[in-house]
């Protein structure tokens, strides 16, 4: 693979402007396989599940394929987002998502490339590939590296109390009773979060869920052949959950905390064991006294680690129409999934992969894990939209007493799965469609329309925000309330308000363009920043981009004048420091979110603001 890329030329002209329609119901902008700006350069669109991929992963792909112009934007982390894109015939070339189950994408799987016979699929252990295989043998999605989500045990606390680490489920329960008698919370987690409820429900019964009966049920469910839990498989799962809640002393107060408070209790030795991930252990600085053990089963051989991919990847089936285009897309997928690519995702965390022959580098906290990795005892969570939402409802109901026993919990889960979704009415009509594609002379119309709208809502003089915070093309037509959320980045990004001189704005933007490895770094043209209320003139260089001039209404921006500026971006992981470097260390955070401000504007009956030509790129 990865050959002949430079020989492939695009043949479709890119839509250059916005089209105003007479009413609602319009389709998306045309031209998915867009011609790149320079002859001989092909364009590949990739929807990123999180803006964290702009830190290291986006630059890695751009450096690996210098012949390709990548078009990046940050999607909503939901397969519903891609179903919405698919309905408009506008899937990106490559899709990434973290919250995922085959059942959520089964209805439109034929719009995706079938990877079942590819070298890419063949690189994965069959036991893991099974979780991505439909009953007809189709494989559309593949996982990147595994985030391990299991039980963190405070080894130092147990040693100080003369207690050992449990090696099976009975020892775990006995330890819980002993710790309760000592006045220590035995097991704690953030049960206010849907993912916690789902992962603990599945985690403590992995051996059951991964039995022959469990695997057969899962494939039927994932392929859309059943919408009900199997009593044979799942009733014991709820029985174990009921026992865990009672033995660990989990109560209604545990629904009101958050992840930070759970780790605070753990770090202060008020709790001995918690559900957690490698990334969380590092973030809350508890690695030094922790060991991560598997979810315990009846015997040591029944112990498993629960995992989920950092994200899943898939490719649009449009590439099947052109052999050379398909070769290019498969080359990019290979780079995304190989060892080097996955290390750029992990960013120094312990990385466990699902593929064969990959090198595993584990920290001392994972001392228990190597044998489980070697034996392929890594369970990939079942994470459909229903599993998230219904697990939250039922497990919280078990904790509050609404569902006092396993039988009532099982019945409630199945009843919720049977419920038919009500048709959601349209909330607004967007009358004008805007393409996302970046133009050297003007920028991205879609990004400009949204950023200009945000500036109007904030009543700010000037505003800057990254183009990739707008999630691709904007369609003319009717939108539900959920679909309005698909216009913008799925994650929360702060809005910071400050006063800044024109000279400071020059310095701030210089630093933004130079920043590398940060949450919001510029990777390429599609991730450049959008200016609203003023214009930018930039020049491409071998190192990136240089800022040449800022103008306001055609005149050079006054370097001595003070302006009211709003910045859309991640405060902690980039913009707080860069504002301070430019001399603007004092700023205020806007309470309402970017997503909410745009949605509110539209639901109130106002259209998006007109896009402006905000950039000239030489």
């Amino acid at each position: 693979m990865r050959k002949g890329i430079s020989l492939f030329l695009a043949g479709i002209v890119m839509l250059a402007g916005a089209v105003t329609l007479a009413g609602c119901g319009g389709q998306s902008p045309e031209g998915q396989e867009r011609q790149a700006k320079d002859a001989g350069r092909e364009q590949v669109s990739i929807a990123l599940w999180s803006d964290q991929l702009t830190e290291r992963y986006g630059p890695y792909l751009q450096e690996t394929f210098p012949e390709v112009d990548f078009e990046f934007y940050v999607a909503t982390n939901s397969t519903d987002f891609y179903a919405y894109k698919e309905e408009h015939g506008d899937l990106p070339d490559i899709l990434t998502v973290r919250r995922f189950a085959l059942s959520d994408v089964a209805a439109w799987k034929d719009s995706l490339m079938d990877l079942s016979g590819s070298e890419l699929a063949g690189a994965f252990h069959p036991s893991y590939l099974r979780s991505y295989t439909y009953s007809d043998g189709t494989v559309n999605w593949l996982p990147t590296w595994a985030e391990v989500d299991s039980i963190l045990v405070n080894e130092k606390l147990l040693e100080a109390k003369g207690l050992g680490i449990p090696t099976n489920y009975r020892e775990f329960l006995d330890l819980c009773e002993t710790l309760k008698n000592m006045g220590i919370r035995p097991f704690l987690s953030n049960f206010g979060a849907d993912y916690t409820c789902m992962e603990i429900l599945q985690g403590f019964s992995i051996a059951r869920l991964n039995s022959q009966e469990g695997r057969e049920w899962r494939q039927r469910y994932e392929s859309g052949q059943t919408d009900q839990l199997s009593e044979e498989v799942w009733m014991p799962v709820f029985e174990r959950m009921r026992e865990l809640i009672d033995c660990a002393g989990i109560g209604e107060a545990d629904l009101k905390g958050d992840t930070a408070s759970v780790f605070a209790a753990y770090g202060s030795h008020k709790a001995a064991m918690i559900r957690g991930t490698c990334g969380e252990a590092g973030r809350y600085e508890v690695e030094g006294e922790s060991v991560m053990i598997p979810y315990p089963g009846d015997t040591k051989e029944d112990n498993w680690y629960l995992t989920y991919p950092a994200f899943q990847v898939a490719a649009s089936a449009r590439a099947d129409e052109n052999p050379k285009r398909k070769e290019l897309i498969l080359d990019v997928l290979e780079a995304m999934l190989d060892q080097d690519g996955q290390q750029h995702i992990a960013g120094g965390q312990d990385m466990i992969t699902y593929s064969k022959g990959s090198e595993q580098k584990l920290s001392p906290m994972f001392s228990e894990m190597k044998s489980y990795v070697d034996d392929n005892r890594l369970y990939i969570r079942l994470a459909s939209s229903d599993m998230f939402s219904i697990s939250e409802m039922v497990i919280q109901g078990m904790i509050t007493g609404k569902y006092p026993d396993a039988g009532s919990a099982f019945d409630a889960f199945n009843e919720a799965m049977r419920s038919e979704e009500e048709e959601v009415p349209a909330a607004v009509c967007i009358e004008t469609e805007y393409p996302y594609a970046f133009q050297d002379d003007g920028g991205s119309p879609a990004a400009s329309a949204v950023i200009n709208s945000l500036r109007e809502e904030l009543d700010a003089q000037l505003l800057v925000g990254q183009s990739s915070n707008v999630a691709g093309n904007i369609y003319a037509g009717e939108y539900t309330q959920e679909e309005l959320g698909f216009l913008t980045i799925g994650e929360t990004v702060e809005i910071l308000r400050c006063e800044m001189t024109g000279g400071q704005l020059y310095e701030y933007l210089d630093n933004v363009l130079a920043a590398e490895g940060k949450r919001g770094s510029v990777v390429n043209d599609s991730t450049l920043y959008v200016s609203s209320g003023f214009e930018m003139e930039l020049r491409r260089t071998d190192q990136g981009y240089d800022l040449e001039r800022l103008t306001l209404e055609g005149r050079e921006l006054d370097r001595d004048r003070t302006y009211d500026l709003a910045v859309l971006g991640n405060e902690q992981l980039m913009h707080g420091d860069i504002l301070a470097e430019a001399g603007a260390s004092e700023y205020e955070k806007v309470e309402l979110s970017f997503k909410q401000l745009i949605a509110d504007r539209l639901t109130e009956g106002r259209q998006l603001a007109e896009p402006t030509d905000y950039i000239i790129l030489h």
Side-chain angles (χ1 to χ4, degrees), residues 27-283:
Q27 293 299 310
S28 67
E30 298 291 333
Q32 291 307 300
E33 295 175 14
R34 303 179 183 93
Q35 183 177 8
K37 292 176 288 298
D38 301 320
R41 294 175 64 82
E42 177 61 8
Q43 191 162 14
V44 174
S45 57
I46 302 183
L48 305 174
W49 78 272
S50 165
D51 63 347
Q52 67 182 256
L53 296 186
T54 64
E55 296 178 49
R56 291 173 296 271
Y57 203 55
Y60 158 73
L61 290 175
Q62 194 67 76
E63 291 165 8
T64 304
F65 297 94
E67 306 92 342
V68 175
D69 281 326
F70 287 101
E71 180 181 273
F72 296 116
Y73 60 80
V74 183
T76 296
N77 179 28
S78 165
T79 52
D80 290 343
F81 172 84
Y82 292 112
Y84 158 79
K85 288 286 185 182
E86 194 271 343
E87 287 175 6
H88 288 83
D90 191 31
L91 283 176
D93 295 312
I94 294 175
L95 302 68
T96 70
V97 69
R98 188 163 190 157
R99 289 195 167 198
F100 169 85
L102 288 182
S103 56
D104 290 339
V105 296
W108 49 276
K109 71 183 185 68
D110 291 342
S111 295
L112 301 174
M113 189 185 296
D114 181 8
L115 302 170
S116 58
S118 68
E119 294 179 14
L120 291 172
F124 289 87
H125 291 287
S127 57
Y128 303 135
L129 192 62
R130 188 186 303 119
S131 297
Y132 293 89
T133 305
Y134 286 102
S135 56
D136 65 0
T138 302
V139 175
N140 303 120
W141 299 81
L142 292 172
T144 57
W145 70 287
E147 176 75 88
V148 181
D149 191 309
S150 198
I151 300 174
L152 290 171
V153 178
N154 195 312
E155 189 174 24
K156 290 186 177 180
L157 172 60
L158 294 189
E159 286 177 355
K161 300 296 183 181
L163 302 172
I165 294 173
T167 62
N168 57 51
Y169 181 64
R170 177 45 54 192
E171 290 182 8
F172 180 88
L173 294 181
D174 291 343
L175 179 60
C176 285
E177 291 292 348
T178 301
L179 288 165
K180 280 197 299 185
N181 292 334
M182 292 179 172
I184 299 170
R185 287 294 304 270
F187 179 75
L188 193 60
S189 195
N190 173 20
F191 285 96
D194 59 357
Y195 60 85
T196 296
C197 298
M198 183 185 73
E199 286 158 9
I200 290 176
L201 176 67
Q202 294 181 34
F204 277 94
S205 294
I206 292 175
R208 184 68 195 149
L209 297 174
N210 212 44
S211 65
Q212 181 68 28
E213 299 82 4
R215 293 196 302 269
E216 290 174 356
W217 173 84
R218 179 167 179 166
Q219 189 168 72
R220 291 196 304 274
Y221 173 74
E222 295 272 42
S223 298
Q225 297 171 7
T226 183
D227 63 354
Q228 293 290 277
L229 300 183
S230 159
E231 184 171 353
E232 177 187 12
V233 173
W234 281 90
M235 186 63 79
V237 175
F238 288 99
E239 290 171 351
R240 181 153 291 191
M241 189 69 209
R242 179 73 267 165
E243 186 175 33
L244 172 68
I245 291 170
D246 294 339
C247 188
I250 298 167
E252 289 192 45
D254 296 318
L255 304 179
K256 301 174 183 177
D258 55 23
T259 301
S261 63
V262 168
F263 273 87
Y266 179 78
S268 62
H269 293 188
K270 294 177 182 177
M273 297 181 287
I274 60 173
R275 183 215 63 83
T277 67
C278 169
E280 289 171 337
R283 190 177 311 126

Side-chain angles (χ1 to χ4, degrees), residues 540-603:
R540 291 190 192 91
T541 69
D542 291 339
Q543 291 73 40
Y545 301 89
D546 283 345
L547 175 62
E548 294 196 338
R549 192 165 73 123
L550 299 178
T551 59
L552 199 160
E553 297 178 349
R555 297 189 182 89
E556 179 91 23
L557 192 76
D558 188 340
R559 291 176 180 264
D560 296 322
R561 181 181 170 185
T562 298
Y563 298 92
D564 167 33
L565 175 71
V567 171
L568 175 68
N570 192 297
E571 175 196 17
Q572 183 177 3
L573 299 179
M574 180 164 170
H575 290 278
D577 290 340
I578 293 181
L579 283 169
E581 290 169 5
S585 56
E586 294 185 5
Y587 52 81
E588 294 181 354
K589 284 197 274 190
V590 175
E591 289 187 8
L592 286 177
S593 69
F594 170 40
K595 184 181 294 292
Q596 190 65 53
L597 285 164
I598 297 302
D600 286 351
R601 174 192 178 98
L602 291 165
T603 53

